[in-house]
């Protein structure tokens, strides 16, 4: 609902405070009838506390409903969603995204809601909004259920981060992309030359961003413009469209109102650059798996736009020509997606350890069923699951107990991400096929090996295998391993670079290679937990801003407080067991893992969220340094 706080007492028109309402359902009608509560809370709490109300919760027919508020001058925007579907921190972030996206599309909330011709557009806008909030799987169609499940679970966190999912590329590919975008932005061709037509060009190209299968691969836009455009594309499901199926041809054109350009400068100094009073247009052209977003300006150096101009064919053709020019890069980007040089991941199922193995101090691994000739131990005939193919294994001593998480003695060397840098998707797929169809295993069927039999090399530490690795691949392995210790215990990660507006996460291909009974559950839990941790960080940022005196230097103000104050860290320890455990005689195996978030305020804002096994103490600062070092667009 979009309500006005200024009521005309002379007219007794029913529902005069309601400017917009969606949808016309039975549940929404009940909320509509108690709208006076929201108006009273908004007005009363601001007078009492001096701060604006952000959210409230109520029970409707026995179900809890979260309601988020967004006050804009004398108007109030309200969005209500069921608590069981959308957590309150996510709803607050979604409310902020809705307000900023509508301002980007219409200039202000009043322009969006108070014009009658916008009603059908707003209905479409909020229809997509509710689908993204309540049925994210429908907006991510995929032939692979695991990829679809990953998209739906990651949307809880990633759709609310002020950044775009980014794909790292080698320098030679990035140079080609940068060159192509620079040629387009220079507009140095005859059809757009002032000398050619003896007149001013229609638009000035301010910048462009290139997406491939939903990943940002090149951007020449300021961070604020990039985030606005990405939020618009995400809301209208353009990024999933390019990611899941080839686009025949997509052309979108609309006038936009980027607040970064339109808001008046805080400094009235004449020496500071002043934005030209122009109009801004967004041109989006999609072709196959590519999508190129171009921000154009009319006015200033270019001609002034009159009325409601449509897309100019010359600019559309030039953007399409740029995409055609990049056709040859497709195969190399696909190779990068399949073998991305991002940190290797491990599957949580590889770390499962039953209670018997922990108490007896032995290490178990089903791989040894393949090694009957090298060990006197005998494997149960029921054991058909092997985790690591034909790689040999050196049994290590169990880790010392650090908590009740059951991490000690967890699956010898239990890490698949550290197999070796030359591990191919086909090899990982063979591993998964050898795990059995149900992804679960009988703890009684695990092969037990005592510590006296530790004569086999450890494939995760690489050990003797390091001699056989090419120097380049060995350097890559050592560089991209985030966790400490001989094994790779990293399950998942999300890194937010707020200065550039990019998010670094594992690719869909990497996540699809890791399956089992525990890992999908871990991924869902990770994103929901990070959402709660980030809500704590956002409150920390508010408190940090209060410490900075108006007009003062932030660096000076922090000298008086503790040096640890600018860095915040929050972690949660989880214990996880297979959901489909059927053996009633034995307790299910347990894997313990940490979800840790760390906030960096200096030298630039950064956020890191990692999930790793509870076997080695990890230092988030070290992991962040490895991940962020040398990271530039």
């Amino acid at each position: 609902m979009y309500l006005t706080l200024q009521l005309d007492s002379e007219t007794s028109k029913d529902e005069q405070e309601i400017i917009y309402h969606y949808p016309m359902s039975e549940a929404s009608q009940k909320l509509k009838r108690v709208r006076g509560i929201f108006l009273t809370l908004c007005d009363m709490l601001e007078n009492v506390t001096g701060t604006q109300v952000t959210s409230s919760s109520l029970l409707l027919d026995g179900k809890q409903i979260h309601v988020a508020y967004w006050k804009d001058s004398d108007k109030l925007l309200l969005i209500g969603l069921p608590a069981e579907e959308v957590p309150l921190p996510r709803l607050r972030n979604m409310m902020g995204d809705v307000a900023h996206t509508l301002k980007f599309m219409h200039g202000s909330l009043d322009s969006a809601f108070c014009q009658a011709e916008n009603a059908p557009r707003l209905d479409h806008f909020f229809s997509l909004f509710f689908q993204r909030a309540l049925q994210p799987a429908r907006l991510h169609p995929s032939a692979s259920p695991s990829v679809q499940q990953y998209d739906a679970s990651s949307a809880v966190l990633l759709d609310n981060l002020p950044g775009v999912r980014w794909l790292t590329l080698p320098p030679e590919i990035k140079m080609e992309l940068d060159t192509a975008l620079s040629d387009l932005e220079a507009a140095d061709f005859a059809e757009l030359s002032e000398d050619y037509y003896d007149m001013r060009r229609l638009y000035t190209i301010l910048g462009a961003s290139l997406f491939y299968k939903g990943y940002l691969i090149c951007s020449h836009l300021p961070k604020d413009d990039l985030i606005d455009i990405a939020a618009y594309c995400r809301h209208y499901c353009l990024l999933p469209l390019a990611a899941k199926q080839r686009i025949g041809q997509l052309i979108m054109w609309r006038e936009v109102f980027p607040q970064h350009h339109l808001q008046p400068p805080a400094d009235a100094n004449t020496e500071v650059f002043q934005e030209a009073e122009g109009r801004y247009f967004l041109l989006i052209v999609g072709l196959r798996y590519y999508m190129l977003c171009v921000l154009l300006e009319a006015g200033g150096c270019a001609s002034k736009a009159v009325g409601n101009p449509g897309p100019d064919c010359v600019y559309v053709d030039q953007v399409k020509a740029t995409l055609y020019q990049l056709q040859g890069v497709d195969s190399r980007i696909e190779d990068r997606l399949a073998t991305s040089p991002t940190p290797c991941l491990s599957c949580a199922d590889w770390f499962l350890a039953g209670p018997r193995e922990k108490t007896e101090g032995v290490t178990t691994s089903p791989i040894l069923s393949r090694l009957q000739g090298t060990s006197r131990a005998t494997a149960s005939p029921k054991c058909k699951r092997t985790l690591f193919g034909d790689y040999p294994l050196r049994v290590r001593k169990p880790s010392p107990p650090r908590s009740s998480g059951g991490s000690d003695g967890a699956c010898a060397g239990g890490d698949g991400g550290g197999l070796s840098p030359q591990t191919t998707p086909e090899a990982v797929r063979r591993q998964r096929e050898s795990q059995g169809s149900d992804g679960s295993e009988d703890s009684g069927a695990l092969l037990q090996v005592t510590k006296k039999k530790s004569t086999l090399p450890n494939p995760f530490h690489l050990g003797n295998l390091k001699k056989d690795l090419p120097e380049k691949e060995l350097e890559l392995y050592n560089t991209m391993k985030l966790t400490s210790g001989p094994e790779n215990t990293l399950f998942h990660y999300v890194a937010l670079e707020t200065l550039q507006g990019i998010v670094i996460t594992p690719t869909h291909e990497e996540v699809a290679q890791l399956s089992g009974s525990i890992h999908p559950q871990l991924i869902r839990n990770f994103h929901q937990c990070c959402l709660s941790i980030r809500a704590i960080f956002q409150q920390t940022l508010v408190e940090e801003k209060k410490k900075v005196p108006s007009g003062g230097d932030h660096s000076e103000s922090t000298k008086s407080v503790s040096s640890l104050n600018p860095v915040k860290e929050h972690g949660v320890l989880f214990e996880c067991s297979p959901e489909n455990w059927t053996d009633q005689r034995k307790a299910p195996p347990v894997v313990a893992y940490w979800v840790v978030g760390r906030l960096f305020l200096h030298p630039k804002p950064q956020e890191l969220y990692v999930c790793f096994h509870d076997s080695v103490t990890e230092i988030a600062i070290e992991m962040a340094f490895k991940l962020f070092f040398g990271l530039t667009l």
Side-chain angles (χ1 to χ4, degrees):
M1 287 185 291
Y2 191 66
L3 309 175
T4 178
L5 301 174
Q6 300 294 331
L7 301 180
D8 188 0
S9 59
E10 297 181 357
T11 61
S12 59
K13 181 182 177 182
D14 189 26
E15 299 182 355
Q16 60 174 329
E17 68 273 17
I18 300 178
I19 300 177
Y20 177 80
H21 174 232
Y22 180 88
M24 296 297 180
S25 62
E26 181 181 354
S28 65
Q29 291 296 327
K30 295 180 180 180
L31 290 176
K32 182 180 177 181
R33 287 195 289 267
V34 296
R35 61 189 178 276
I37 298 177
F38 308 126
L39 294 173
T40 303
L41 285 174
C42 179
D43 184 56
M44 180 182 66
L45 288 180
E46 186 173 1
N47 293 333
V48 173
T49 65
T51 58
Q52 295 183 359
V53 60
T54 57
S55 62
S56 61
S57 300
L58 56 95
L59 289 176
L60 179 64
D61 295 335
K63 291 187 177 182
Q64 187 179 21
I65 305 296
H66 291 318
V67 179
Y69 300 69
W70 187 275
K71 186 179 180 183
D72 190 78
S73 64
D74 61 342
K75 306 294 193 308
L76 180 64
L77 176 62
L78 298 170
I79 294 180
L81 284 169
E84 61 183 8
E85 299 287 345
V86 180
L88 187 55
R90 184 188 180 193
L91 177 58
R92 290 173 178 169
N93 291 332
M94 295 176 76
M95 170 60 89
D97 287 344
V98 166
H100 289 121
T101 304
L102 288 175
K103 289 179 180 179
F104 177 69
M105 295 170 58
H106 300 279
S108 66
L109 294 183
D110 277 353
S111 300
F113 289 101
C114 298
Q115 298 179 10
E117 61 269 18
N118 286 337
R121 302 186 184 98
L122 290 173
D123 290 347
H124 180 227
F125 181 91
F126 285 104
S127 174
L128 291 174
F129 170 82
F130 284 121
Q131 284 192 51
R132 289 176 56 228
L134 303 177
Q135 300 172 328
R138 292 184 58 186
L139 301 179
H140 297 278
S142 174
S144 172
S146 61
V147 174
Q148 185 176 1
Q149 187 180 41
Y150 173 59
D151 281 331
S153 66
S154 61
V156 173
L157 176 68
L158 299 185
D159 283 4
N160 296 285
L161 293 180
V164 194
R165 184 178 288 182
W166 186 49
L167 178 65
T168 56
L169 293 174
E172 57 272 12
I173 299 180
K174 192 172 184 312
M175 184 182 64
E176 291 187 39
L177 302 178
D178 283 326
T179 302
L181 291 193
S182 298
D183 291 343
L184 172 67
E185 293 159 355
D188 190 16
F189 27 81
E191 291 81 356
L192 295 183
S193 172
E194 288 87 344
D195 296 334
Y196 187 81
Y197 287 113
D198 195 23
M199 59 181 293
R200 279 190 176 184
R201 63 187 65 190
L202 295 178
Y203 305 102
T204 300
I205 300 179
L206 298 182
S209 291
L210 181 63
F211 295 84
Y212 183 83
K213 285 191 173 182
Y215 295 94
L216 177 68
I217 56 177
C218 188
S219 177
H220 291 178
L221 282 170
K223 183 201 72 170
D224 298 308
D225 293 338
L226 173 63
I227 292 177
D228 287 341
I229 292 175
Y232 173 82
C233 294
R234 185 167 54 239
H235 183 86
Y236 284 97
C237 310
L238 300 181
L239 298 180
L241 176 67
K244 306 305 177 188
Q245 57 187 3
R246 293 176 57 179
I247 301 175
Q249 179 172 286
L250 168 70
I251 298 177
M252 296 188 66
W253 171 271
R254 68 168 297 124
E255 183 175 5
V256 294
F257 302 87
Q259 303 300 311
H260 172 64
H261 298 279
L262 296 176
Q263 63 185 2
D267 191 353
N269 189 355
T270 56
E271 296 181 359
V272 177
F273 173 75
Q274 304 292 330
E275 290 277 354
E277 294 184 2
R279 296 170 62 183
Y280 300 88
F281 297 86
L282 176 62
L283 172 62
I284 301 177
V285 177
L287 194 65
R288 297 181 177 87
Y289 294 116
Y290 284 111
M291 195 172 72
L292 184 55
C293 305
V294 183
L295 185 62
L296 306 171
E297 179 189 39
C301 298
S303 303
K304 290 187 177 181
V306 180
N308 187 20
D312 185 80
C313 60
V314 174
Y315 287 84
V316 175
D317 290 343
Q318 290 300 329
V319 174
K320 290 172 60 178
T322 302
L323 294 181
Y324 280 119
Q325 179 184 345
L326 298 175
Q327 283 188 19
V329 192
D330 292 18
S331 58
R332 286 183 286 168
I333 298 180
E334 287 289 346
D335 294 340
R336 201 62 167 182
L337 275 172
T339 58
S340 181
T342 51
C344 298
L345 299 178
S346 296
C347 181
D349 294 74
W350 300 341
F351 287 78
L352 283 176
R356 176 184 298 180
E357 291 79 24
K358 292 185 289 183
T359 56
E360 295 181 0
V362 297
T363 311
T364 63
S365 177
I367 181 180
L368 297 178
S369 61
R370 291 280 188 95
L371 304 173
Q372 297 178 5
T374 59
S375 174
R376 295 180 182 178
T378 58
S380 168
K382 297 180 180 179
C383 183
K384 299 179 180 179
R385 178 181 174 195
T386 57
L387 294 182
F388 312 113
D390 294 325
Y391 286 92
L393 177 75
R394 176 178 60 81
V395 179
R396 64 173 176 86
K397 294 183 179 180
S399 303
R402 298 176 59 244
S403 67
S404 61
S407 61
D408 43 316
C411 192
D415 163 21
L419 281 176
S420 67
Q422 75 268 26
T423 303
T424 61
E426 289 75 13
V428 179
R429 187 158 49 248
R430 287 196 299 270
Q431 291 173 201
R432 292 168 54 197
E433 291 173 355
S434 67
Q435 295 176 9
S437 57
D438 58 352
S440 64
E441 58 182 324
D442 186 353
S443 61
L446 291 173
L447 178 64
Q448 299 182 1
V449 181
T450 61
K451 291 181 285 185
K452 297 179 181 179
K453 300 292 191 294
S454 56
T455 58
L456 304 175
N458 187 340
F460 314 105
H461 185 245
L462 292 181
N464 298 330
L465 298 178
K466 288 185 176 182
K467 300 178 181 179
D468 303 327
L469 287 178
E471 183 178 352
K472 183 177 180 181
E473 293 184 354
L474 180 59
E475 180 182 355
L476 177 64
Y477 173 81
N478 293 330
T479 302
M480 299 311 296
K481 183 171 175 290
L482 289 188
T483 55
S484 57
E487 302 168 6
N488 183 18
T489 59
L490 181 67
F491 293 147
H492 207 71
Y493 65 92
V494 171
L496 172 63
E497 175 68 88
T498 55
L499 192 67
Q500 302 181 53
I502 58 175
V503 177
I504 303 97
T505 63
T507 62
H508 292 80
E509 286 74 7
E510 290 178 274
V511 177
Q513 293 171 4
L514 306 175
S515 63
S517 59
I518 294 287
H519 203 73
Q521 179 183 347
L522 178 145
I523 295 294
R524 292 193 303 270
N525 192 42
F526 170 79
H527 289 107
Q528 293 177 1
C529 183
C530 290
L531 183 68
S532 301
I533 296 177
R534 189 166 193 273
I536 299 175
F537 289 165
Q538 288 175 314
Q539 184 63 32
T540 301
L541 292 173
V542 173
E543 295 175 359
E544 287 292 327
K545 290 180 181 179
K546 292 179 180 178
K547 296 178 182 178
V548 182
S550 57
D553 185 11
H554 184 85
S555 60
E556 293 295 330
S557 65
T558 56
K559 291 181 180 178
S560 59
V561 297
S562 171
S563 59
L564 294 179
N565 194 63
V567 179
K568 301 296 180 182
E569 182 173 325
H570 192 78
V572 184
L573 177 64
F574 292 93
E575 289 184 350
C576 189
S577 300
E579 295 179 342
N580 55 351
W581 186 260
T582 57
D583 191 351
Q584 302 295 332
R585 297 171 300 175
K586 302 172 185 177
V590 177
V591 60
Y593 61 90
W594 283 92
V595 176
V596 176
R598 191 166 186 103
L599 171 66
F600 301 89
L601 297 179
H602 301 290
K604 55 185 178 180
Q606 292 175 332
E607 296 177 29
L608 174 68
Y609 304 92
V610 289
C611 180
F612 51 85
H613 187 254
D614 178 36
S615 58
V616 180
T617 303
E618 303 292 350
I619 303 176
I621 295 179
E622 180 182 353
M623 301 174 75
F625 176 79
K626 290 181 180 179
L627 192 60
F628 284 117
F629 182 75
L631 193 63
T632 58
L633 278 175

